[in-house]
Amino acid sequence: MTRRRISILGSTGSIGRNALEVVRRNADLFSVAVLASHSNVTLLREQIATYHPELVAVYDEKAAAALRDSVPGCAVLSGPAGLIEAAATPVDTALCAVVGAVGLEPLLAAIDAGNRVAVANKEPLVMAGDYIMERARLNNVAVLPVDSEHNAIFQCLQGNALSDVDRIYLTASGGPFYKSTPEALRNITPEQAMRHPTWDMGAKISVDSATLMNKGLEIIEALCLFRLRSEQIEVVIHPQSVIHSMVAFTDGSIIAQLGVTDMKAPIAFALTYPERLPAPEMRLDVTALAGLTFDKPDCEAFPCLALARAAADAGGCAPAVLNGANEEAVTAFCAGRIRFLDIAAVVEHALEQCAVSTVCTLDGALAADSVARACATSIIKTMEQ
Ligand SMILES: NC(=O)c1ccc[n+]([C@@H]2O[C@H](COP(=O)([O-])OP(=O)(O)OC[C@H]3O[C@@H](n4cnc5c(N)ncnc54)[C@H](OP(=O)(O)O)[C@@H]3O)[C@@H](O)[C@H]2O)c1
């Protein structure tokens, strides 16, 4: 395997740390050229000392200033422009693993620079997926999914024609509140929502998993990555999280991808595709797999899933509204300003109130994002009273 030069945007987060662990275990195969984070310079300083990047970007200006004088030999950029410049630094693969819509412009910058992109940061794909995929096509850049479900689907599709796909089964653990009634969901705390039963992840995606919005975002992500129709994507609750997703073909065959619940596996696959990294520690003991179960999602108790499906079906910039409103609602929930069930109410309100373009352009997505955030912010204020 040839040595790969990589950048990691969001290196201090859950995905970023897992990616650096893959690098550490395979030090002869990777060189880390770029790291980027928002403000966690304590961890970033340690990462710089271990992986010796030539450049880092710290979004927060003050945090960047605090780091600048203490890392000789490493350029420290800052602010939105610094993150974009970091993304555009030439590498073999840019791992996009910041959280939220803020990753959209860096992702496009990486693509325009001709960097192959491994995408964990799903929010930009939700906001403007078709636009991003077209820009990747024009730049002849591969977009490799890191999200475990999409990585699984990507693997199941190898050697198969998309025209032979009947449907995709997107598996979901069900989150920490699987089988809970709406009454029980009323008093969920942020701490409870962040405790995912099978995956260890950052705060925002953990809350999204608890509301099932994460699965809704993944429907939209799958639509653009694999060019499918909405009715071809089915969500299946699979609490054991052993099957990461399945593809059903027109001849009735179903191909599934199984593995341990460890994001290092899809990250490594995306970084080394089409080759595979030996990882004996990732071996799944299939003889220990007793009772894999499957269930239908409860869209009444978890309305975010239906809201996401509706936004996907509306198309255009509706998914950008869904995403922007959800980001605001999750932030407010984590800050204790609104309740768990208010998250769906905020998103529903934004989808009803925001008139947006029916065509997905970059400007349209950015405008929809900002209209949705303003709308969400104002309804959140009324909920706090
Ligand atoms: N975690 C998973 O297992 C998983 C699985 C599938 C998909 N994903 C997706 O991957 C993305 C990252 O998730 P995560 O769980 O790793 O999140 P996380 O643990 O919260 O980490 C987020 C990372 O992004 C950085 N960041 C946030 N805002 C930034 C900004 N404005 N500029 C630069 N860096 C910024 C953070 O830096 P600081 O540390 O300095 O704040 C941190 O490094 C999300 O879109 C998520 O949906 C995650």
Side-chain angles (χ1 to χ4, degrees):
M1 203 177 280
T2 51
R3 195 171 162 83
R4 285 157 166 85
R5 182 180 146 88
I6 63 168
S7 58
I8 303 178
L9 311 178
S11 64
T12 51
S14 164
I15 292 287
R17 284 179 274 118
N18 272 303
L20 284 172
E21 183 55 23
V22 171
V23 170
R24 194 191 62 77
R25 292 178 190 180
N26 300 277
D28 51 330
L29 293 180
F30 298 103
S31 69
V32 178
V34 175
L35 296 175
S37 77
H38 177 266
S39 51
N40 184 352
V41 289
T42 307
L43 179 55
L44 193 58
R45 194 177 280 114
E46 284 174 27
Q47 293 179 343
I48 293 168
T50 309
Y51 299 99
H52 312 292
E54 59 210 48
L55 184 158
V56 298
V58 179
Y59 196 87
D60 183 86
E61 303 278 358
K62 273 195 192 148
L67 181 71
R68 206 160 268 134
D69 294 333
S70 60
V71 285
C74 176
V76 180
L77 308 178
S78 61
L83 183 60
I84 289 171
E85 193 177 331
T89 303
V91 286
D92 295 312
T93 302
L95 173 61
C96 298
V98 303
V99 59
V102 72
L104 174 57
E105 289 181 70
L107 171 59
L108 290 171
I111 289 171
D112 287 345
N115 294 333
R116 188 165 103 147
V117 286
V119 184
N121 180 203
K122 66 188 79 182
E123 292 87 354
L125 290 173
V126 171
M127 291 171 72
D130 289 344
Y131 179 85
I132 292 166
M133 295 307 285
E134 178 60 9
R135 195 120 146 210
R137 194 188 63 77
L138 292 173
N139 281 287
N140 200 20
V141 158
V143 177
L144 293 158
V146 172
D147 221 346
S148 60
E149 295 79 358
H150 305 76
N151 191 276
I153 294 162
F154 184 80
Q155 295 195 44
C156 295
L157 286 173
Q158 296 298 302
N160 290 293
L162 272 182
S163 54
D164 289 335
V165 173
D166 175 41
R167 65 192 54 232
I168 275 170
Y169 293 105
L170 210 53
T171 52
S173 70
F177 312 123
Y178 176 48
K179 288 192 185 291
S180 294
T181 59
E183 293 68 45
L185 294 175
R186 208 157 279 153
N187 297 316
I188 298 294
T189 64
E191 292 68 32
Q192 288 170 319
M194 283 179 214
R195 226 174 288 135
H196 194 273
T198 50
W199 294 97
D200 182 13
M201 309 181 288
K204 196 256 175 185
I205 186 174
S206 297
V207 175
D208 284 345
S209 299
T211 60
L212 289 201
M213 179 59 93
N214 184 49
K215 216 41 61 178
L217 300 179
E218 287 179 6
I219 292 175
I220 302 169
E221 188 184 359
L223 286 173
C224 70
L225 282 172
F226 305 114
R227 304 210 169 278
L228 298 166
R229 298 184 309 282
S230 168
E231 63 271 21
Q232 286 181 292
I233 303 178
E234 244 177 73
V235 172
V236 181
I237 304 292
H238 168 49
Q240 299 79 21
S241 299
V242 170
I243 295 179
H244 297 319
S245 275
M246 304 179 262
V247 178
F249 293 90
T250 47
D251 65 355
S253 294
I254 297 179
I255 299 183
Q257 191 264 343
L258 287 70
V260 293
T261 50
D262 188 328
M263 286 305 293
K264 286 189 276 301
I267 290 168
F269 183 84
L271 290 178
T272 61
Y273 175 81
E275 292 168 277
R276 287 180 185 268
L277 267 184
E281 70 284 1
M282 294 287 171
R283 195 165 294 138
L284 178 70
D285 180 2
V286 289
T287 59
L289 296 180
L292 299 184
T293 60
F294 304 93
D295 197 359
K296 288 200 166 115
D298 179 350
C299 291
E300 258 178 54
F302 298 95
C304 284
L305 190 55
L307 291 171
R309 179 74 81 172
D313 292 344
C317 294
V321 171
L322 175 96
N323 182 69
N326 182 58
E327 283 193 32
E328 292 297 325
V330 171
T331 302
F333 169 69
C334 289
R337 293 170 54 207
I338 61 171
R339 302 177 123 194
F340 184 73
L341 293 177
D342 291 337
I343 296 174
V346 170
V347 174
E348 185 172 16
H349 178 77
L351 283 171
E352 280 167 7
Q353 296 299 314
C354 302
V356 291
S357 167
T358 50
V359 185
C360 175
T361 61
L362 179 59
D363 286 347
L366 292 172
D369 179 66
S370 98
V371 167
R373 285 175 196 272
C375 181
T377 304
S378 70
I379 182 122
I380 287 167
K381 278 196 187 123
T382 67
M383 288 169 163
E384 283 178 309
Q385 287 157 9

